[in-house]
């Protein structure tokens, strides 16, 4: 079987490729990635050694390149991770989010229809449901929670989700769709909360917490997300949506404090900076459906996963120091310069 993984040079896509190579070494994996600022070929160095692996640099919006690859590789399954994924960037510049996340999805689904793909899987996010109030811990996102987005990022992901449902109903494309909560683990780009705080703490730099840091996210170790997608593409029901999350809600400030403690750094590094515009308060997934239909349960407890993640960033400094010293520096100065008073 051939699985086309788009966005596989990014955080979750790369972890998924490693999961598949380990679990199903007989399957061929073709990775299509544009290598934007978030894509890193060095992440796939070990994957490249696998005889059943091919990397192709291309844009999912490029109709010609996508169709040529589908014609050549004839994928059985397509898993679309490729996206612009950072909320703060979407607030600064929404255009690229609409192009990649919506048009790119359309191009991939058109090619999937044309070339008779047996399963098109869209990797979506819990952010399409908007947010929940902090004073209602009894509320959770289920698959029937209405879409109600807050940021250009989540709106572009919701647009793609609606298109996926339309391609299933109108053209009969065999789709599945998953909406996962916040991931953490190896290879996450250091613009996201956990790796950013680890990298800054190690350099004794300020730890910029938006607002009071009381916003809640539902953290899942990336391998558990990969395992869920693997189950959905092989055993999930066509046309269905699956929520993925491990009931692990934590306040941002508590995560940052935990990272300080784990690295032996003072909490005096924490700086409360101006809040994200439209900042969602709380995400919380109800994973009952994927548990009861596919038997999925998260395996890594947060206490273990965060220690493993911190260890990984300590052991793989070259991977992220390379990123921090390059083009990403301009982004960091732009986003945090004023917030931190250019400290
Ligand atoms: P990421 O930003 O780390 O990686 C995105 C990858 O997509 C990069 O390799 C990039 O080069 C590639 N890409 C971007 N535009 C492309 C284009 N036009 N053509 C081809 N490739 C392109 O993202 P991530 O955190 O790994 O997220 C992967 C997917 O999972 C996204 O769809 C995201 O919405 C979703 N998701 C992420 C999380 C999370 O916590 N990170 C949670 C739920 C869902
Ligand atoms: O919920 C799933 C989503 O999780 C995915 O769809 C997105 O692709 C992924 O980026 C993530 O979105 P968030 O906005 O929740 O993640 P981020 O790491 O950017 O921020 C997590 C929380 O931490 C959020 O409340 C904002 C806050 N934050 C973030 C940064 C980067 C800070 O307080 N300071 C920071 O410097």
């Amino acid at each position: 079987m051939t699985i086309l993984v788009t966005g596989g040079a990014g955080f979750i896509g790369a972890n998924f490729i490693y999961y598949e190579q380990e679990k199903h070494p007989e399957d061929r994996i073709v990775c299509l990635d544009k290598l934007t600022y978030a894509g890193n070929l060095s992440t796939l160095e070990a994957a490249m050694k696998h005889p059943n692996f091919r990397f192709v640099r291309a844009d999912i919006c490029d109709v010609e390149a996508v169709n040529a690859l589908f014609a050549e590789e004839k994928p059985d399954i397509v898993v679309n991770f490729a996206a612009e994924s950072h909320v703060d960037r979407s607030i600064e510049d929404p255009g690229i989010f609409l192009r990649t996340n919506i048009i790119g999805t359309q191009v991939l689904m058109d090619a999937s229809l044309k070339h008779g793909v047996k399963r098109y899987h869209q990797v979506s996010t819990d952010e399409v449901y908007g947010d929940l109030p902090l004073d209602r811990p009894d509320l959770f996102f289920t698959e029937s929670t209405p879409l109600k987005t807050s940021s250009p990022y989540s709106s572009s992901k919701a647009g793609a989700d609606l298109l996926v449902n339309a391609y299933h109903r109108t053209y009969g494309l065999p789709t599945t769709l998953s909406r996962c909560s916040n991931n953490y683990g190896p290879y996450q780009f250091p613009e996201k909360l956990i790796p950013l705080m680890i990298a800054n703490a190690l350099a004794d730099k300020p730890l910029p917490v938006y607002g009071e840091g009381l916003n809640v996210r539902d953290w899942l170790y990336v391998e558990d997300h990969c395992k869920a997608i693997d189950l959905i593409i092989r055993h999930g029901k066509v046309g269905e949506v699956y929520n993925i999350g491990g009931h692990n809600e934590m306040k941002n400030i508590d995560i940052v404090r935990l990272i300080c403690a784990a690295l032996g750094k003072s909490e005096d590094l924490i700086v409360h900076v101006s809040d994200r515009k439209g900042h969602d308060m709380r995400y919380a997934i109800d994973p009952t459906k994927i548990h009861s239909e596919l038997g999925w349960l998260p395996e890594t407890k947060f206490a273990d996963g965060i220690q493993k993640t911190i260890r990984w960033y300590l052991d793989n400094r070259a991977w992220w120091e390379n990123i921090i010293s390059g083009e990403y520096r301009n982004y960091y100065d732009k986003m945090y310069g004023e917030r931190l008073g250019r400290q």
Side-chain angles (χ1 to χ4, degrees):
M1 182 158 81
T2 297
I3 305 177
L4 176 66
V5 176
T6 67
F11 165 47
I12 309 174
N15 277 284
F16 179 74
I17 288 171
Y18 285 119
Y19 183 84
E20 290 297 305
Q21 287 187 335
E22 174 81 25
K23 189 99 204 281
H24 307 283
E26 69 286 0
D27 288 339
R28 176 168 170 77
I29 306 274
V30 178
C31 171
L32 181 159
D33 197 296
K34 186 181 176 184
L35 297 181
T36 65
Y37 79 92
N40 195 334
L41 213 43
S42 74
T43 302
L44 292 175
E45 216 174 276
M48 304 268 191
K49 297 194 178 108
H50 200 285
N52 270 346
F53 180 78
R54 177 184 176 195
F55 178 82
V56 176
R57 184 174 191 179
D59 186 335
I60 56 166
C61 301
D62 182 339
V63 177
E64 223 170 277
V66 165
N67 274 292
L69 185 64
F70 275 63
E72 192 185 344
E73 290 288 352
K74 300 182 180 47
D76 300 283
I77 298 180
V78 174
V79 186
N80 181 25
F81 290 95
E84 288 294 332
S85 70
H86 194 37
V87 174
D88 292 326
R89 287 184 191 255
S90 82
I91 295 167
E92 293 293 303
D93 181 14
I96 184 71
F97 283 73
L98 306 193
R99 181 180 180 275
T100 293
N101 298 0
I102 302 176
I103 304 298
T105 299
Q106 178 227 332
V107 170
L108 289 172
M109 290 195 296
D110 281 340
S112 298
L113 274 175
K114 189 169 166 189
H115 297 273
V117 160
K118 295 186 197 81
R119 177 67 66 86
Y120 175 89
H121 183 76
Q122 178 74 0
V123 180
S124 187
T125 168
D126 61 357
E127 296 200 15
V128 298
Y129 298 123
D131 63 352
L132 297 164
L134 289 182
D135 60 359
R136 289 294 307 274
D138 56 315
L139 296 181
F140 297 92
F141 298 136
T142 71
E143 288 77 3
S144 50
T145 300
L147 305 190
K148 188 174 178 292
T149 56
S150 312
S151 70
Y153 162 70
S154 54
S155 305
S156 68
K157 293 295 289 184
D161 285 13
L162 294 173
L163 211 52
V164 170
N165 290 339
Y167 268 60
H168 172 63
R169 179 159 173 167
T170 307
Y171 306 116
L173 183 69
T175 60
T176 38
L177 209 159
S178 55
R179 296 182 177 138
C180 189
S181 59
N182 285 63
N183 285 213
Y184 68 101
Y187 300 115
Q188 188 167 30
F189 195 88
E191 66 188 349
K192 305 284 165 63
L193 180 77
I194 289 180
L196 185 140
M197 295 300 167
I198 296 172
N200 280 17
L202 285 172
D204 293 309
K205 281 171 63 177
L207 307 177
V209 170
Y210 297 165
E212 291 180 71
L214 300 178
N215 308 64
V216 169
R217 296 292 182 266
D218 186 356
W219 294 94
L220 184 72
Y221 193 60
V222 63
E223 201 181 2
D224 280 322
H225 185 186
C226 297
K227 188 181 156 208
I229 294 175
D230 180 66
L231 282 171
I232 296 168
I233 60 176
R234 290 164 199 275
H235 307 291
K237 269 195 234 143
V238 163
E240 292 292 311
V241 174
Y242 293 91
N243 280 356
I244 308 170
H247 282 305
N248 183 62
E249 293 178 47
M250 293 193 61
K251 288 191 210 114
N252 294 339
I253 188 72
D254 292 338
I255 300 252
V256 180
R257 286 191 180 127
L258 194 153
I259 291 170
C260 288
L263 292 173
K265 299 290 179 178
S266 163
E267 287 184 13
D268 292 347
L269 287 175
I270 296 173
V271 180
H272 290 273
V273 299
S274 56
D275 212 345
R276 175 183 277 175
K277 289 181 189 141
H279 199 173
D280 282 337
M281 279 320 295
R282 171 176 168 248
Y283 303 145
I285 284 275
D286 175 353
T288 306
K289 179 174 173 180
I290 190 166
H291 174 57
S292 55
E293 280 189 21
L294 303 177
W296 177 87
L297 274 178
E299 282 170 17
T300 301
K301 291 198 179 73
F302 187 78
D304 301 331
I306 192 71
Q307 293 306 333
K308 269 206 270 186
T309 303
I310 291 172
R311 188 74 258 156
W312 188 87
Y313 281 88
L314 284 169
D315 292 344
N316 292 275
R317 273 176 173 268
W319 183 88
W320 55 270
E321 281 179 349
N322 215 10
I323 291 168
I324 286 177
S325 61
E327 189 196 329
Y328 170 67
R329 243 173 97 170
N330 298 330
Y331 165 85
Y332 190 86
D333 290 345
K334 185 171 166 224
M335 293 303 283
Y336 294 94
E338 265 172 36
R339 279 177 153 147
L340 292 167
R342 307 211 175 267
Q343 293 176 55

